[in-house]
Amino acid sequence: MHSTSDQYFLSREKLSNNLQQIIDTERYYTQFLLDEIILPVAEDIWSNFTLDPLKLLPFWRNYPPEQRGRGPIGTSVPWLELGEKTISSNIIKALGSKRDNITFPGLPTGGDIRFADKQVYIHLDVKLTGPNDNANEVVVPPNQVSGDGINWNDGVLNSTWPVRRVKSGEINYHFQPKLPPIYILDDNTLICLTYFFDAIYDVTGFGNHPIKYFELVCVPNGLLMFDGPKLANTPNLIIAGKDDKTTPDDAKRIRIRLEPLSKINNWRATKIKKTENGWIALHRNDNPELFSS
Amino acid sequence: MHSTSDQYFLSREKLSNNLQQIIDTERYYTQFLLDEIILPVAEDIWSNFTLDPLKLLPFWRNYPPEQRGRGPIGTSVPWLELGEKTISSNIIKALGSKRDNITFPGLPTGGDIRFADKQVYIHLDVKLTGPNDNANEVVVPPNQVSGDGINWNDGVLNSTWPVRRVKSGEINYHFQPKLPPIYILDDNTLICLTYFFDAIYDVTGFGNHPIKYFELVCVPNGLLMFDGPKLANTPNLIIAGKDDKTTPDDAKRIRIRLEPLSKINNWRATKIKKTENGWIALHRNDNPELFSS
DNA sequence: ATCGCCTAATAGGCGAT
DNA sequence: ATCGCCTAATAGGCGAT
């Protein structure tokens, strides 16, 4: 008879001593997501995202969502909800049809798309990036990244991580990852994997938001990021997020920069792009000039 | 050569003269959703919603979402996101596997789950109702209900509808439906159907939020509700929503009461409940005493 | 390039009457 | 039973420097 905390620390210890297993798992599921899920549905997503809202324009143009934020210039319509729905619906549909062992165990917070098999619990968050924003980073809240899970108090506790100002090197605030590095469910140890699916789009007119490309990002598990090799120390990988000063530190986001990330492992940032010959996936550092824009 | 507006008004006119076709379509898709989608996945949703978060409790209990609103009493954890994810993932997966002609045309606003075939565009919004809230109504924002689509100004325009105070009969505010009664996509006329999938749950401890039952609600299309028969006039069907006075009228929600609704057609409100013999679906007025609580 | 200012839309728990 | 008070979490557009 052993408690959940015993089981947890046993599993955590085993993985800590075999970090390559985590990396291999992250790489395997990245490939799975690319080959079996994203590339097969990319054309549908593209069409649902780029073409359909234009065809349907007269049926929503008088009641569009309002622009928000500090200095709206009025040209773009908030495309977040459209992007989230078209992308996650197509991905979930594909997940269901490609694998019969995918389940959706409930958690009160996490990424937009959450699913598990017997090896992993995956959080995949959908991000949208318009022409005025930076496509070389993802802005990540505490609930979408796993921590070191170093302590236990009726449950997993993560260390915080100091986010420094690039210029001065001063600590700006302490980031609090809120996902555990692993889950234990029905006696299976599930590695927590965190992905981001970014849709980079242009705005060429009212309701006309063509996709430029997608990017799949795999952020290292907490045991790699904030423990052991402490990849979070990679220069320029993590910088301050978009929150203002009134946001409590433990709710503040971080920016994860994709160039440093893709240098840790080139498969951690993969662009998915439409070509004359169909959709292709290219790791950032395999062919940088193709995406020089 | 005809414009979209010509096509729109032609289709609208045809349906206005054959309202039974709308009702039949609503009824058909209600049955489809119940028999082919919801009943087959009800057990999975129940398990993802009720059991898994308890099994996973140590992996989120130190970082739960905060309670919100006016007078939080602290017992319940916000269960909305968990409910939305577990329910919509399972439903989308089932939709993909049961029908091969389902697509997800992008719209910038609408229900949580949006999909289309060649006959209908369906908005299905997931609602959560805890023990301190009223399970006999759904609170519906303008983006989740269709209007009469009576006018055109580069696109469909809907009339507003006066919401009266029950006691005084005075007009409280004017509700602005924002979905069109029909869409035209690739020359197909798609009737806009609006559904609500309500999960009614109990709170029996921290993280313990067992499902009591689900309810599928079909709100009549705008041509039935706000035009022609003007079902919105049904006594006590529509009352004020939950917004405060600072909310602009055209963003205010309404409450749609389920007893009056189910008297319009008994299949418009259907409870889905777990029994010893599996999951059953029962229209509200078929067997009221079974759900006397 | 860094970093944070700033707000629309969402939702339902729960109180007041 | 009616109805509205009230706030956490989400997200990215865009400005300031």
Side-chain angles (χ1 to χ4, degrees), chain A residues 29-95:
Chain A
Y29 282 91
T30 300
Q31 207 62 42
F32 161 67
L33 287 172
L34 286 171
D35 291 344
E36 296 190 44
I37 306 296
I38 294 169
L39 285 172
V41 301
E43 182 70 15
D44 284 341
I45 294 176
W46 179 82
S47 148
N48 292 156
F49 185 110
T50 300
L51 300 184
D52 290 332
L54 262 183
K55 293 181 187 171
L56 294 169
L57 186 57
F59 303 96
W60 61 266
R61 75 174 308 154
N62 287 321
Y63 307 106
E66 302 289 318
Q67 271 218 299
R68 49 197 77 169
R70 177 153 122 183
I73 50 182
T75 46
S76 67
V77 177
W79 223 236
L80 164 68
E81 213 195 297
L82 185 146
E84 228 175 74
K85 299 302 178 198
T86 56
I87 291 166
S88 60
S89 300
N90 279 293
I91 286 181
I92 290 168
K93 177 184 160 184
L95 281 171

Side-chain angles (χ1 to χ4, degrees), chain A residues 4 8 48 52-53 55-56 58-63 65 77-79 81-82 85-86 89-90 92-93 96 102 104-112 114 121 143 152-158 176-178 180 182-186, chain B residues 4 8 48 52-53 55-56 58-63 65 77-79 81-82 85-86 89-90 92-93 96 102 104-112 114 121 143 152-158 176-178 180 182-186:
Chain A
T4 309
Y8 169 74
N48 292 156
D52 290 332
K55 293 181 187 171
L56 294 169
F59 303 96
W60 61 266
R61 75 174 308 154
N62 287 321
Y63 307 106
V77 177
W79 223 236
E81 213 195 297
L82 185 146
K85 299 302 178 198
T86 56
S89 300
N90 279 293
I92 290 168
K93 177 184 160 184
I102 300 271
F104 306 97
L107 285 173
T109 57
D112 288 324
R114 307 172 200 163
Y121 194 115
N143 278 321
W152 187 275
N153 177 20
D154 286 338
V156 175
L157 283 172
N158 292 321
Q176 173 66 73
K178 294 187 177 173
I182 55 174
Y183 295 92
I184 294 172
L185 180 60
D186 298 328
Chain B
T4 308
Y8 169 74
N48 293 156
D52 291 332
K55 294 181 186 172
L56 294 168
F59 303 96
W60 62 265
R61 76 174 308 154
N62 288 320
Y63 307 106
V77 176
W79 223 236
E81 212 193 299
L82 185 146
K85 298 302 179 200
T86 55
S89 300
N90 279 294
I92 290 169
K93 178 184 159 183
I102 299 272
F104 306 98
L107 285 174
T109 57
D112 290 324
R114 307 172 201 164
Y121 193 115
N143 279 321
W152 187 274
N153 177 19
D154 285 341
V156 175
L157 283 173
N158 292 322
Q176 173 67 73
K178 295 187 178 174
I182 55 174
Y183 295 91
I184 294 172
L185 180 60
D186 298 329

Side-chain angles (χ1 to χ4, degrees), chain A residues 238-281:
Chain A
I238 292 177
I239 64 173
K242 290 188 168 188
D243 300 291
D244 63 25
K245 284 171 183 133
T246 70
T247 305
D249 273 18
D250 73 348
K252 279 202 173 86
R253 295 170 286 178
I254 51 175
R255 285 175 160 97
I256 297 183
R257 323 250 3 270
L258 301 185
E259 277 302 323
L261 180 70
S262 76
K263 274 163 197 152
I264 292 173
N265 302 107
N266 71 342
W267 46 267
R268 288 195 186 272
T270 309
K271 296 187 180 187
I272 296 106
K273 195 160 179 164
K274 191 176 168 78
T275 72
E276 289 174 359
N277 303 313
W279 288 83
I280 55 165

